[in-house]
Amino acid sequence: MHTLQQIVYTGTATATGGREGTAKSSDGKLELGLSTPKELGGAGGQGTNPEQMFAAGYSACFIGALKHVAASQKIKLSDDISVTGDVSIGPIEQGFAIAVKLIVDLGDVESDKAQALVDAAHQVCPYSNATRGNIEVEIALA
């Protein structure tokens, strides 16, 4: 377990109604309708779901970690680098679990340097630190 040395920021959101409800941040910047995908027995409505939100959050956070590591190594990354997150859900012995795959596109960064950046970012990314040892996480270069 990691203990924060200092709290720098806290994001707060409240979900109501579960997978068929809504989610809203305390500052009002995020307000989403939720719906259960057909694959999970839902109607597949127009709302998003926890897996998509986790995929977006992890992807964005991982880009931040990549930029942090690159800056510390004096490497300039393109503004259009991207990370695509796949968050899968399925049954385990007792309940359900998720697994993550991140596909990292660093553009024209040579593959050896790109892999080293990805490996270093995976060590500092808050989502990576939160999930390490708890769920399967695969990270691949595009």
Side-chain angles (χ1 to χ4, degrees), residues 26-70:
S26 61
D27 63 6
K29 292 181 180 180
L30 174 74
E31 189 166 355
L32 301 167
L34 304 173
S35 64
T36 303
K38 288 181 181 180
E39 297 85 348
L40 293 175
Q46 295 197 359
T48 189
N49 58 66
E51 293 74 31
Q52 290 175 333
M53 290 188 289
F54 195 90
Y58 200 161
S59 296
C61 193
F62 201 81
I63 289 173
L66 285 164
K67 288 181 176 182
H68 170 79
V69 168

XYZ file of all heavy atoms in Angstrom, residues 26-70:
313
model
N -18.265 17.090 -7.971
C -18.663 18.104 -6.991
C -18.577 19.520 -7.549
O -19.303 20.403 -7.113
C -17.802 17.988 -5.729
O -16.430 18.196 -6.046
N -17.705 19.736 -8.548
C -17.582 21.073 -9.141
C -18.483 21.272 -10.353
O -18.486 22.328 -10.970
C -16.127 21.379 -9.512
C -15.564 20.438 -10.564
O -16.310 19.592 -11.114
O -14.357 20.541 -10.844
N -19.251 20.254 -10.728
C -20.188 20.354 -11.839
C -19.563 20.224 -13.218
O -20.264 20.291 -14.230
N -18.248 20.018 -13.308
C -17.586 19.919 -14.619
C -17.856 18.582 -15.312
O -17.689 18.462 -16.514
C -16.086 20.133 -14.472
C -15.732 21.546 -14.081
C -14.241 21.725 -13.974
C -13.903 23.151 -13.570
N -12.459 23.346 -13.462
N -18.248 17.596 -14.534
C -18.556 16.274 -15.078
C -19.971 15.912 -14.664
O -20.305 15.944 -13.480
C -17.582 15.227 -14.518
C -17.859 13.774 -14.891
C -17.468 13.532 -16.341
C -17.102 12.849 -13.964
N -20.796 15.618 -15.650
C -22.148 15.151 -15.366
C -22.529 14.182 -16.471
O -22.645 14.565 -17.633
C -23.136 16.310 -15.295
C -24.489 15.873 -14.783
C -25.387 17.034 -14.386
O -24.938 18.187 -14.415
O -26.541 16.763 -14.042
N -22.685 12.911 -16.096
C -22.891 11.858 -17.083
C -24.075 10.983 -16.739
O -24.299 10.656 -15.577
C -21.655 10.946 -17.138
C -20.320 11.578 -17.478
C -19.198 10.602 -17.182
C -20.296 11.973 -18.939
N -24.778 10.575 -17.781
C -25.765 9.523 -17.623
C -25.053 8.188 -17.745
O -24.087 8.058 -18.497
N -25.500 7.200 -17.008
C -24.889 5.880 -17.016
C -25.861 4.856 -17.587
O -27.078 4.994 -17.423
C -24.500 5.470 -15.586
C -23.585 6.434 -14.842
C -23.415 5.989 -13.389
C -22.241 6.538 -15.531
N -25.314 3.862 -18.255
C -26.145 2.767 -18.753
C -25.328 1.487 -18.775
O -24.119 1.516 -18.949
C -26.696 3.076 -20.153
O -25.647 3.173 -21.091
N -25.995 0.388 -18.596
C -25.339 -0.910 -18.594
C -25.225 -1.420 -20.024
O -26.215 -1.467 -20.756
C -26.151 -1.913 -17.747
O -26.300 -1.376 -16.434
C -25.471 -3.259 -17.665
N -24.009 -1.820 -20.446
C -23.839 -2.369 -21.792
C -24.675 -3.637 -21.985
O -24.921 -4.381 -21.025
C -22.348 -2.708 -21.865
C -21.705 -1.962 -20.747
C -22.752 -1.785 -19.699
N -25.079 -3.881 -23.212
C -25.854 -5.089 -23.524
C -25.096 -6.347 -23.110
O -25.697 -7.315 -22.664
C -26.174 -5.143 -25.020
C -27.205 -4.120 -25.445
C -27.517 -4.219 -26.929
C -28.537 -3.165 -27.306
N -28.895 -3.205 -28.719
N -23.762 -6.315 -23.246
C -22.945 -7.476 -22.909
C -23.044 -7.838 -21.422
O -22.757 -8.971 -21.035
C -21.475 -7.228 -23.257
C -21.210 -7.023 -24.738
C -21.421 -5.583 -25.207
O -21.984 -4.745 -24.455
O -21.037 -5.292 -26.349
N -23.442 -6.863 -20.608
C -23.609 -7.115 -19.173
C -25.077 -7.247 -18.789
O -25.440 -7.155 -17.619
C -22.956 -5.994 -18.353
C -21.434 -5.909 -18.424
C -20.922 -4.697 -17.662
C -20.799 -7.188 -17.888
N -25.929 -7.422 -19.796
C -27.343 -7.641 -19.531
C -28.194 -6.390 -19.510
O -29.375 -6.440 -19.194
N -27.612 -5.254 -19.883
C -28.362 -4.004 -19.875
C -28.966 -3.687 -21.225
O -28.823 -4.441 -22.198
N -29.602 -2.538 -21.290
C -30.226 -2.094 -22.532
C -29.227 -1.441 -23.473
O -29.523 -1.227 -24.646
C -31.352 -1.102 -22.212
N -28.027 -1.097 -22.949
C -27.028 -0.465 -23.812
C -27.403 0.947 -24.185
O -27.090 1.405 -25.264
N -28.054 1.651 -23.317
C -28.504 3.017 -23.592
C -27.389 3.966 -23.953
O -26.263 3.564 -24.238
N -27.706 5.253 -23.925
C -26.773 6.269 -24.398
C -25.749 6.700 -23.361
O -24.834 7.436 -23.676
C -27.551 7.470 -24.920
C -28.357 7.117 -26.139
C -28.788 8.341 -26.904
O -28.513 9.467 -26.522
N -29.461 8.117 -28.007
N -25.867 6.259 -22.127
C -24.924 6.669 -21.103
C -23.620 5.900 -21.183
O -23.486 4.917 -21.899
N -22.643 6.375 -20.438
C -21.359 5.695 -20.352
C -21.420 4.669 -19.225
O -22.482 4.416 -18.671
C -20.222 6.715 -20.133
O -18.962 6.044 -20.263
C -20.303 7.410 -18.796
N -20.287 4.068 -18.904
C -20.257 3.067 -17.843
C -18.930 3.157 -17.093
O -17.992 3.817 -17.550
C -20.512 1.668 -18.417
C -19.502 1.290 -19.468
O -18.318 1.139 -19.172
N -19.965 1.139 -20.709
N -18.832 2.516 -15.939
C -17.608 2.605 -15.145
C -16.349 2.142 -15.883
O -15.275 2.710 -15.687
C -17.897 1.705 -13.932
C -19.382 1.732 -13.798
C -19.901 1.802 -15.208
N -16.481 1.137 -16.740
C -15.308 0.650 -17.467
C -14.788 1.704 -18.431
O -13.573 1.903 -18.553
C -15.645 -0.656 -18.203
C -15.927 -1.823 -17.271
C -17.290 -1.745 -16.576
O -18.249 -1.197 -17.168
O -17.389 -2.222 -15.430
N -15.689 2.391 -19.136
C -15.257 3.454 -20.046
C -14.631 4.613 -19.275
O -13.632 5.185 -19.708
C -16.435 3.963 -20.880
C -16.910 2.970 -21.907
C -18.158 3.435 -22.640
O -18.952 4.214 -22.110
N -18.340 2.947 -23.850
N -15.205 4.961 -18.131
C -14.653 6.055 -17.342
C -13.266 5.687 -16.809
O -12.347 6.514 -16.818
C -15.601 6.439 -16.207
C -16.857 7.125 -16.707
S -17.889 7.803 -15.391
C -18.541 6.320 -14.639
N -13.089 4.446 -16.363
C -11.780 4.005 -15.882
C -10.771 4.017 -17.021
O -9.623 4.447 -16.843
C -11.892 2.613 -15.261
C -10.689 2.217 -14.433
C -10.650 2.505 -13.088
C -9.629 1.553 -15.005
C -9.547 2.139 -12.318
C -8.524 1.185 -14.258
C -8.480 1.479 -12.907
N -11.193 3.560 -18.207
C -10.307 3.555 -19.376
C -9.864 4.978 -19.729
O -8.683 5.220 -20.004
C -11.007 2.900 -20.570
N -10.788 5.916 -19.705
C -10.451 7.307 -20.020
C -9.527 7.896 -18.961
O -8.537 8.571 -19.280
C -11.730 8.141 -20.136
N -9.837 7.642 -17.693
C -9.018 8.178 -16.619
C -7.604 7.622 -16.631
O -6.627 8.379 -16.512
N -7.476 6.319 -16.783
C -6.154 5.689 -16.796
C -5.365 6.179 -18.007
O -4.184 6.527 -17.898
C -6.303 4.169 -16.797
C -5.084 3.365 -16.342
C -5.233 2.049 -15.925
C -3.802 3.891 -16.334
C -4.163 1.285 -15.510
C -2.710 3.127 -15.924
C -2.898 1.824 -15.514
O -1.821 1.074 -15.102
N -6.005 6.261 -19.165
C -5.322 6.718 -20.386
C -4.790 8.138 -20.226
O -3.635 8.427 -20.543
C -6.271 6.647 -21.585
O -6.637 5.313 -21.851
N -5.625 9.035 -19.727
C -5.215 10.429 -19.550
C -4.108 10.540 -18.508
O -3.130 11.279 -18.691
C -6.420 11.278 -19.141
N -4.245 9.811 -17.419
C -3.242 9.839 -16.367
C -1.911 9.286 -16.878
O -0.847 9.824 -16.557
C -3.735 9.039 -15.163
S -2.756 9.294 -13.692
N -1.959 8.245 -17.681
C -0.732 7.638 -18.195
C -0.008 8.610 -19.129
O 1.225 8.657 -19.127
C -1.023 6.300 -18.896
C 0.183 5.413 -18.987
C 0.569 4.638 -17.891
C 0.942 5.353 -20.130
C 1.694 3.835 -17.948
C 2.068 4.554 -20.211
C 2.451 3.785 -19.120
N -0.755 9.393 -19.898
C -0.117 10.421 -20.733
C 0.602 11.431 -19.835
O 1.723 11.856 -20.132
C -1.136 11.123 -21.652
C -1.586 10.164 -22.759
C -0.533 12.398 -22.271
C -2.712 10.686 -23.628
N -0.024 11.816 -18.735
C 0.632 12.718 -17.796
C 1.931 12.131 -17.262
O 2.952 12.826 -17.144
N 1.917 10.842 -16.943
C 3.125 10.172 -16.458
C 4.195 10.117 -17.552
O 5.383 10.334 -17.278
C 2.785 8.759 -15.972
N 3.776 9.848 -18.786
C 4.724 9.841 -19.910
C 5.380 11.207 -20.078
O 6.595 11.307 -20.265
C 4.012 9.448 -21.208
C 3.655 7.981 -21.370
C 2.619 7.797 -22.480
C 4.910 7.150 -21.665
N 4.574 12.267 -20.015
C 5.113 13.626 -20.160
C 6.065 13.960 -19.019
O 7.106 14.587 -19.223
C 3.970 14.643 -20.229
C 3.204 14.586 -21.538
C 2.095 15.626 -21.577
C 1.392 15.633 -22.913
N 0.352 16.671 -22.986
N 5.727 13.535 -17.819
C 6.580 13.776 -16.649
C 7.941 13.090 -16.830
O 8.994 13.705 -16.636
C 5.881 13.266 -15.386
C 6.754 13.256 -14.178
N 7.019 14.395 -13.464
C 7.425 12.240 -13.565
C 7.831 14.095 -12.457
N 8.076 12.794 -12.499
N 7.913 11.818 -17.201
C 9.147 11.052 -17.388
C 9.960 11.632 -18.543
O 11.176 11.804 -18.433
C 8.820 9.556 -17.626
C 10.037 8.799 -18.106
C 8.254 8.938 -16.363
N 9.303 11.953 -19.648
C 10.004 12.511 -20.804
C 10.673 13.838 -20.438
O 11.834 14.078 -20.796
C 9.043 12.692 -21.973
